[in-house]
Amino acid sequence: MKIETTHPDPEAPVDPRAVAMLPAVGGFPPSDRGLFLAGYGELCRVDLSGRRALEICGGFGKLAAGLATAYPEAEIIGLDLYAASGPEIEERLRELPGLSYVAGDAFDLSRYEDESFDLVFGQAALHHLAHDIDGLRREVTRVLKPGGRFVFIFEPLGHNPLFAAIRAWRFALAESGDESNLYFSQFEKLAQGFSKCEVQCFNILGYPMKALSDRMQSLAELVQRIDHRLMSWFPALKKYAANCNLVLTK
Ligand SMILES: C[S@@+](CC[C@H](N)C(=O)[O-])C[C@H]1O[C@@H](n2cnc3c(N)ncnc32)[C@H](O)[C@@H]1O
């Protein structure tokens, strides 16, 4: 399957529901605003009202709650090894009857029937599941309806040796052992069983400039515009970006 690489324009109009999800989900750095907007735009691309979506590796559950706020008539399930909880989550569960959280393993979705979801999604999640791409693909293609989509937002790409070195250094400083990069060969493996695979690429200058541009919104916006131009002029650069979103269609 041929993978399509893109670099969404940070200045392109975005679905207002995706914009509203940014503060609701919170925690994104200004340098990655374009990436998150493009990713949330993908979650909102199909009207989810009356439909069913599953977030895998949802962590504290904010993204599932943000999507349930955007689509109060959808059924949105947030799954993680540890079920999301706490006063904020309790409040969202009271407000949003379609929202629920479960403790479970992304590799074992046996509690869900075949072809029962319109959307399966995750954020900063695929690189935690990359040790068993075949197992993940089997489960997700099983539970997705025909035409359903599998969307991953904010994933690390490992083809750029400089960025891979910076990332390894940052994780060593943070003593974080559970992190890895992703490669196009893994996307090709994941894409088997899907009819379409798009990799949205972000952050060329944006990655080394991150520390500075996260302190200056205007610099972050400028760098995102420059990165977009660079990837338009030199398409081969996309593979060497630091981050990506992944959009697969069954
Ligand atoms: C980097 S966090 C991302 C959390 C959240 N998606 C976010 O954007 O803040 C990765 C999450 O993946 C979860 N996780 C890792 N392996 C998993 C698995 N096999 N099944 C379900 N969740 C898993 C972890 O518990 C953790 O909450």
Side-chain angles (χ1 to χ4, degrees):
M1 132 100 53
K2 176 142 172 44
I3 290 180
E4 185 193 355
T5 52
T6 60
H7 46 100
D9 184 348
E11 291 176 291
V14 191
D15 188 321
R17 281 172 292 214
V19 180
M21 280 169 68
L22 282 179
V25 173
F28 71 90
S31 57
D32 289 315
R33 184 183 153 88
L35 176 154
F36 282 96
L37 270 183
Y40 297 165
E42 289 301 332
L43 298 185
C44 296
R45 185 172 298 285
V46 173
D47 185 350
L48 290 174
S49 304
R51 296 178 194 238
R52 213 165 169 233
L54 173 70
E55 181 181 16
I56 53 174
C57 305
F60 296 118
K62 284 192 168 187
L63 182 54
L67 193 60
T69 307
Y71 292 102
E73 286 167 26
E75 182 184 349
I76 314 276
I77 302 169
L79 176 143
D80 196 282
L81 292 175
Y82 315 95
S85 60
E88 201 181 318
I89 286 297
E90 295 302 326
E91 196 182 323
R92 307 309 290 279
L93 285 170
R94 276 193 298 275
E95 290 166 0
L96 299 162
L99 176 66
S100 61
Y101 293 97
V102 291
D105 185 349
F107 293 109
D108 176 14
L109 303 177
S110 52
R111 70 179 84 200
Y112 303 117
E113 287 178 15
D114 295 359
E115 302 187 354
S116 54
F117 287 99
D118 300 279
L119 172 71
V120 178
F121 65 102
Q123 175 171 282
L126 180 60
H127 62 287
H128 291 280
L129 307 173
H131 56 281
D132 187 8
I133 293 278
D134 288 329
L136 181 67
R137 187 192 60 237
R138 256 195 310 276
E139 273 303 73
V140 174
T141 51
R142 184 184 66 73
V143 299
L144 269 179
K145 293 178 187 171
R149 294 182 323 138
F150 191 22
V151 177
F152 281 108
I153 299 160
F154 193 44
E155 297 293 349
L157 271 175
H159 290 285
N160 187 316
L162 174 65
F163 298 170
I166 296 174
R167 197 169 274 138
W169 174 64
R170 285 179 44 229
F171 291 144
L173 285 182
E175 299 185 18
S176 169
D178 183 23
E179 299 289 347
S180 61
N181 285 310
L182 292 171
Y183 301 92
F184 275 58
S185 55
Q186 291 166 305
F187 301 155
E188 275 159 17
K189 215 170 170 191
L190 188 61
Q192 291 163 19
F194 288 90
S195 66
K196 194 170 170 229
C197 174
E198 177 190 355
V199 184
Q200 302 181 334
C201 303
F202 298 87
N203 288 332
I204 301 285
L205 287 180
Y207 194 66
M209 296 282 287
K210 203 172 182 45
L212 206 57
S213 53
D214 278 343
R215 289 176 179 78
M216 285 172 66
Q217 178 78 41
S218 54
L219 179 63
E221 285 165 13
L222 175 67
V223 171
Q224 283 166 52
R225 285 201 299 275
I226 295 173
D227 272 356
H228 180 66
R229 290 278 160 78
L230 282 174
M231 288 189 266
S232 303
W233 291 332
F234 309 106
L237 271 182
K238 285 181 276 187
K239 189 171 177 182
Y240 299 95
N243 299 100
C244 67
N245 297 329
L246 202 60
V247 184
L248 298 130
T249 309
K250 186 171 159 185

